[in-house]
Amino acid sequence: MLSLLILLFSGFALIRFAVSQWRAIWISSANQPVSDSLQLTAGIDAAAIGAGDFGRLMTLCDQLSPELKTRSPWLKEVSLYYRVIANLERITGAKIPSISSWAKQEMKTCARYVAVVLDQNLSMNLDRRLAAQSN
């Protein structure tokens, strides 16, 4: 019985560590600067990217870089995480303001991550086109 308890505790600790590591990776990516070209393309000020911009940024991903969802690391997972947190925020709403504000901040970070990934992809595509033209 004690060994089963140790196994369950170890499994829980491992899962918690994995989730924390995953969040640290995409949160650090979300803190990267966004170029002016994405701001002009998306019509969104980088400093004003909010939780509500996630859908528009994902639509831009589909329009400008349809392959991005399959090639980009963590984009599917962040999208799933966003939907879960958005549902949690909608359910808690005004009932539990602390959870609601935390959820909005998490959703904002998700939107910022999508903006950074889209910006990096557009920059790489532009670099490839310029390299192809110079050859």
Side-chain angles (χ1 to χ4, degrees):
M1 186 64 164
L2 181 62
S3 60
L4 180 62
L5 183 63
I6 291 171
L7 178 65
L8 290 175
F9 179 75
S10 299
F12 176 75
L14 180 64
I15 290 170
R16 188 168 178 187
F17 174 75
V19 168
S20 297
Q21 181 68 21
W22 170 73
R23 286 188 74 242
I25 290 170
W26 65 266
I27 288 173
S28 66
S29 296
N31 290 328
Q32 300 297 316
V34 177
S35 72
D36 293 336
S37 63
L38 178 71
Q39 293 180 44
L40 292 173
T41 304
I44 298 173
D45 181 24
I49 293 175
D53 296 322
F54 186 84
R56 185 167 31 155
L57 289 166
M58 288 301 287
T59 301
L60 263 170
C61 283
D62 290 339
Q63 293 171 350
L64 300 176
S65 300
E67 77 285 350
L68 188 60
K69 283 187 178 178
T70 58
R71 289 187 313 136
S72 176
W74 306 117
L75 194 57
K76 288 181 193 176
E77 290 84 356
V78 169
S79 181
L80 175 65
Y81 183 72
Y82 178 87
R83 288 191 304 267
V84 168
I85 296 300
N87 286 331
L88 177 68
E89 195 275 329
R90 190 181 64 232
I91 291 169
T92 60
K95 297 174 191 170
I96 309 172
S98 61
I99 291 179
S100 181
S101 64
W102 169 82
K104 286 179 184 174
Q105 185 62 37
E106 288 293 302
M107 290 163 46
K108 179 180 176 180
T109 304
C110 292
R112 178 97 178 134
Y113 175 80
V114 173
V116 168
V117 168
L118 180 60
D119 184 38
Q120 290 173 349
N121 188 54
L122 292 175
S123 295
M124 286 191 301
N125 287 344
L126 181 62
D127 290 345
R128 285 185 203 126
R129 280 189 242 135
L130 291 174
Q133 288 177 354
S134 66
N135 289 333

